[in-house]
Each structure stands twice: as structure tokens, then as C-alpha cells.
Amino acid sequence: MKPCPSCGYGNPDQDQKCGICARDITAVPVETEVKQSPTESNLLLAAGLVLLACGAVYFITSSVAKPPPRVSADTPFSDEASFSYDGTLYALDRMGSLRFLPSADRVRVAPLLACPDDRVASAAAKLAGNWARTSEDPAEAKVLFSALLEAATSGRRIARRSAALQAGLSAAAGFPVAPYLEEIRKVSSGLVATRDAELTAAGLFLASAAGIEDFSREMLDTLRSDPSSGARLYAACGLARLGSAAGGRHLVELASGADPELKSEAFACLAYAFDPETGPFLAAAARGGDPDLAERAKMALILRKQLAIIKK
């Protein structure tokens, strides 16, 4: 065999030109092909099989040992697969619409008061407060009310505010708070100490709804000078609950005003108020010519009547 110096093609011994590139190979010496013995061939074959086996073992062990690659937070796949609390919110909404929900399922809402998603925590607080006020099972009501007080002590701002307001509404609606008065006093003190307008207002409302008068001066200061309309609303709500005429007057102003959100909250507070301004205003509004005011006033009067029956 004559290997071509240019292309390496192995030409027959007698050829004078390369059969591939046509180069003159006259002077190229003939090479004799060295044949491998059967023993050498077998050794090469065995070595190849050993290398193949090692490769297979490496592939298997590396696949098992190595964790799956991390997906970068910046990739589109990661964005699509990111966790969402929308399903939890939907479940809470459906639970709130069920008329006959077992007590064991209701109390499972309590841990959601500590959810890092503010929407979920607020929705859970609303359900817990509603069930604490309306449950016919005293044990269930106690679990939910205790969970509201615990959620109001620490954690995220919105969750604390929602839990305190719902606990206050439960107290105002007749929940037996006597065994919890010291705890409510501590919770309210902690909220007031934050110096956050909304948390302070929620703490003042909680205390006053439970009949605690320790923070009357703070409520008056908030009502007179706080720049937050929401803080003034809940300060007035607390004062009216304690029988203060100043709180009642402020609620009447908001209930007659143009802000729909403040109007709705003011009527909710008037339903629980003990001040002298509330009764005459609601009676006049229920007979008045404004359909919206009349409807809201009638609902507040019905609730006040129900609360009076509970107290008996």
C-alpha cells in the first residue's frame, strides 16, 4: 500500500498516481500492513468494553448524585411557575359563602392569620371574626377569637390591624370578653405603642369595644388632631362605643358625608355606639328622603335591636 502524502489515501502498490488527488506517488515507498495477532485484538476489545462500562457507571452515578439544575429567578419559566396565593384567596372566599361548614374546617383558618400575603391574612381575619361572632359552638368561637388577639400582637402591619378590628367587632357584637380583658388590654397597649396611626386606631377601637376606658385620652387626641381620616374614624368609633358625644358627632358627620368608604364604616360603628347622638340620627335617617341613608340606617337599627336582645 502506498499512502498518499497529500490526502493519506492508501493506494495499491503498483499505482503511480493517487487515486483521490492524482498526486505523483512513484517515489512513495510501499508500506506493509502490520496485522494484529488475535491476542492483541482481544485485548483491545476488552479495553474498549472496560472504558464503555466506566462511562456508563459515571453517567448513572453523576445523574443520581447531582441535584437538578437551579432555575434562575430571571427566566420566563420561573415567573410562570412562581407561587401564587390566588388559590388560597379563592378557597377562603368559598368557605365564607358556605352556610354549613364544619367547625373543624373553620378553625383551620386561624394559622392563615400569619400568612405573608396581606390579602390572605386580611381575608382570614374577616372570616375568623365573623365566625367568632356567629358561631353556635363556644369552643370554636374561643379558638378563633384567641387567634385574632394573637395575630394582633405581632407580625405584618396589615394583618395586625385586620385582626384587631375583627376582634373589636366581635367584642362589640356580644362576644364574652370578660376572660380576655387583661389580654385585650396588653394587645391594645402594644398597638398604641407602635405610633402607627392605623395600628393605634385599631388598638383603641379594640379596647373600647371591650369596654376598656384606659385609652380615652389617646382617642380624643387622635380624633382632634390626627391627619389620617381612618384613624379619626376608629377613634370616634371607640369613643362612641364608650358613650362619648364627641365620637358620636364625628360618626354622624361621616355617615352624612360624600365619601362612600367612610360612610360605610361610620354606619358600621353607629350600630355599636352608646353615645346620645346615635339613636336620634339613625331614626331620622331611616325616615328621611335619601334612599341610601335610609337603607343603611335601617340595617344599623336592626343590628342594634339584635344586640339589645343578646344583652338581655
Side-chain angles (χ1 to χ4, degrees), residues 41-113:
S41 298
N42 291 339
L43 288 174
L44 289 174
L45 178 60
L49 291 175
V50 170
L51 288 174
L52 182 62
C54 291
V57 171
Y58 174 77
F59 174 78
I60 293 172
T61 56
S62 63
S63 299
V64 173
K66 288 184 178 180
R70 281 189 173 183
V71 180
S72 170
D74 298 329
T75 61
F77 173 80
S78 178
D79 292 338
E80 293 176 1
S82 60
F83 181 76
S84 170
Y85 283 98
D86 290 343
T88 307
L89 285 169
Y90 174 77
L92 290 174
D93 180 65
R94 293 296 299 159
M95 289 175 72
S97 66
L98 295 176
R99 186 175 180 184
F100 301 104
L101 188 66
S103 177
D105 292 331
R106 287 185 172 185
V107 297
R108 287 176 182 170
V109 169
L112 292 178
L113 292 167

Side-chain angles (χ1 to χ4, degrees), residues 12-27:
D13 298 350
Q14 67 275 12
D15 286 359
Q16 313 239 331
K17 291 185 178 180
C18 178
I20 299 298
C21 63
R23 176 172 176 167
D24 183 10
I25 58 172
T26 305

Side-chain angles (χ1 to χ4, degrees), residues 3-295:
C4 176
S6 296
C7 66
Y9 177 68
N11 297 278
D13 298 350
Q14 67 275 12
D15 286 359
Q16 313 239 331
K17 291 185 178 180
C18 178
I20 299 298
C21 63
R23 176 172 176 167
D24 183 10
I25 58 172
T26 305
V28 175
V30 176
E31 291 185 0
T32 302
E33 183 178 0
V34 180
K35 294 186 177 181
Q36 295 178 339
S37 66
T39 303
E40 292 176 337
S41 298
N42 291 339
L43 288 174
L44 289 174
L45 178 60
L49 291 175
V50 170
L51 288 174
L52 182 62
C54 291
V57 171
Y58 174 77
F59 174 78
I60 293 172
T61 56
S62 63
S63 299
V64 173
K66 288 184 178 180
R70 281 189 173 183
V71 180
S72 170
D74 298 329
T75 61
F77 173 80
S78 178
D79 292 338
E80 293 176 1
S82 60
F83 181 76
S84 170
Y85 283 98
D86 290 343
T88 307
L89 285 169
Y90 174 77
L92 290 174
D93 180 65
R94 293 296 299 159
M95 289 175 72
S97 66
L98 295 176
R99 186 175 180 184
F100 301 104
L101 188 66
S103 177
D105 292 331
R106 287 185 172 185
V107 297
R108 287 176 182 170
V109 169
L112 292 178
L113 292 167
C115 180
D117 188 293
D118 290 332
R119 302 171 302 163
V120 173
S122 296
K126 185 176 181 181
L127 279 180
N130 183 52
W131 290 334
R133 292 188 288 275
T134 61
S135 176
E136 297 179 359
D137 182 354
E140 174 195 324
K142 289 178 180 179
V143 169
L144 295 171
F145 188 77
S146 296
L148 288 172
L149 292 181
E150 182 179 355
T153 59
S154 62
R156 296 175 64 86
R157 175 177 178 271
I158 293 179
R160 294 184 69 184
R161 176 181 179 273
S162 299
L165 291 177
Q166 288 298 325
L169 288 173
S170 298
F175 182 87
V177 296
Y180 301 91
L181 288 179
E182 284 307 311
E183 185 177 359
I184 291 173
R185 184 176 278 106
K186 290 179 181 178
V187 172
S188 299
S189 298
L191 292 167
V192 172
T194 63
R195 303 299 179 184
D196 179 291
E198 298 297 325
L199 291 180
T200 296
L204 297 177
F205 172 69
L206 171 59
S208 61
I212 298 173
E213 301 183 14
D214 298 14
F215 308 100
S216 297
R217 187 177 65 182
E218 286 87 343
M219 283 188 280
L220 278 172
D221 292 341
T222 300
L223 179 61
R224 291 168 180 168
S225 59
D226 199 290
S228 169
S229 58
R232 294 196 303 275
L233 164 68
Y234 285 107
C237 196
L239 287 169
R241 172 71 179 173
L242 295 173
S244 166
R249 283 193 297 270
H250 188 74
L251 291 179
V252 168
E253 290 175 7
L254 294 179
S256 306
D259 189 315
E261 184 175 354
L262 291 177
K263 178 184 291 188
S264 177
E265 296 285 349
F267 268 103
C269 288
L270 288 171
Y272 304 105
F274 289 153
D275 70 286
E277 302 281 339
T278 296
F281 167 75
L282 290 176
R287 298 190 301 267
D290 187 326
D292 180 52
L293 283 180
E295 183 64 25

